[in-house]
Amino acid sequence: MTRERYLPLLATIVVFAALFITGGLLYKHFFSTLVIGHILADNAFIIIAAIGTTFVILSGGIDLSIGSMIGFVGVCMANLDAVGWHPLASAALMLAFGALFGAAQGFTIDFCKAQPFIITLAGLFLLRGACFMVNLDSVPIRHPFVMAFAGANIPFPTGGFLASSAIVMLVVLAAGIVIAHFTRFGTYVYALGGDSASALLMGVPVRKTIVSVYALGGFYSALAGVIYALYTSSGYPLAGQGNELSAIAAVVLGGTLLTGGVGLVAGTLFGGMILGLISTLINFNGSLNSAWIMISGGVLLFLFIVMQKSLVSSFGFRRAT
């Protein structure tokens, strides 16, 4: 059983390696640290949001408010910058807001025994509407810290570099792995997603765990919004539209079962990078339009869902699916 739980992650890594090798064989200069660095930087905010989503899905839930949170955080940071706030101060405020908003969603889901889909869909509409209440236009962030953040990086030996956004993503990924796999809270999350009734009988504090899971998801979503705002140096009320689906796709491609209870946080990194790698391959080709990015991602997602269902049936990851 222990080895079988790593099979989805292994499949994800094999797909990523196959795509990367294919790109290297088809296009000159594809095999380079510069390409890897750009994939990590361009998709850092999606992977950060997906890490929080991994906890939500592992617990058996779903969060559709991610994209709206990204847009709301960016708009607020841009408007606070215009009145003299330092980006770090506004970022801290928005991270606290994200955690509280997520906790409120989690409490509502547990207290009302409501479907997470409905509650977080309400969160999606609420936050997107709030974006337009704050500002209707794109607002630049002009603080010198933004330029300093964009310029910070760790150089690779062969010309590439690890951008600051990618560094933040890797740090919070490591934190997510520790929380999921080396803490009691992580054990509670897996138990809740595996079988909530059994988890309750075993003494898992269900309400506290659900509230904490959505608070953590909200924190990661807000952090994704902070990174996106710093990366683009602006806030825009339509930013982040559809990103909740990209984050969920990254989690599934990373080997986490949508039914909850099975998956690894590390897999989400590769799931997000697969989405970025598909986009990079399309861009290198030059003759295909952006529609092929969605088509390729959809085909891969479909294949992974089928593969997960087969694994569940073959190895019995869950007692009932």
Side-chain angles (χ1 to χ4, degrees), residues 257-315:
L257 294 189
L258 275 173
T259 45
V262 176
L264 297 169
V265 175
T268 300
L269 169 66
F270 290 98
M273 288 185 68
I274 285 175
L275 293 177
L277 193 51
I278 291 172
S279 175
T280 304
L281 284 169
I282 300 295
N283 291 333
F284 262 76
N285 181 280
S287 63
L288 299 174
N289 59 41
S290 58
W292 284 99
I293 297 174
M294 299 186 70
I295 292 172
S296 304
V299 170
L300 268 179
L301 195 58
F302 176 79
L303 292 175
F304 266 75
I305 293 290
V306 173
M307 182 197 72
Q308 288 182 352
K309 190 65 180 176
S310 301
L311 288 173
V312 167
S313 301
S314 302
F315 299 106

Side-chain angles (χ1 to χ4, degrees), residues 99-119:
L100 289 173
F101 187 84
Q105 288 192 129
F107 179 80
T108 307
I109 289 168
D110 180 73
F111 183 77
C112 299
K113 304 302 177 192
Q115 288 293 325
F117 175 88
I118 299 299
I119 300 301

Side-chain angles (χ1 to χ4, degrees), residues 48 69 72-74 76-77 80 87-103 168 172 214-227 230:
I48 290 172
M69 178 67 79
F72 182 71
V73 167
C76 288
M77 285 187 64
L80 289 172
L88 288 179
S90 57
L93 176 66
M94 298 318 299
L95 291 177
F97 170 80
L100 289 173
F101 187 84
V168 173
V172 298
Y214 281 89
L216 189 62
F219 176 85
Y220 271 96
S221 298
L223 181 59
V226 170
I227 294 301
L230 294 177

Side-chain angles (χ1 to χ4, degrees), residues 196-244:
S196 57
S198 298
L200 184 62
L201 292 174
M202 288 189 299
V204 173
V206 173
R207 173 168 293 178
K208 182 179 178 182
T209 303
I210 291 176
V211 172
S212 300
V213 163
Y214 281 89
L216 189 62
F219 176 85
Y220 271 96
S221 298
L223 181 59
V226 170
I227 294 301
Y228 186 79
L230 294 177
Y231 189 64
T232 60
S233 304
S234 66
Y236 182 53
L238 289 176
Q241 273 194 327
N243 284 163
E244 59 276 355

Side-chain angles (χ1 to χ4, degrees), residues 14-27 30-31 277:
V14 168
V15 169
F16 176 80
L19 287 173
F20 194 66
I21 291 171
T22 302
L25 295 175
L26 291 176
Y27 308 114
F30 195 88
F31 276 136
L277 193 51

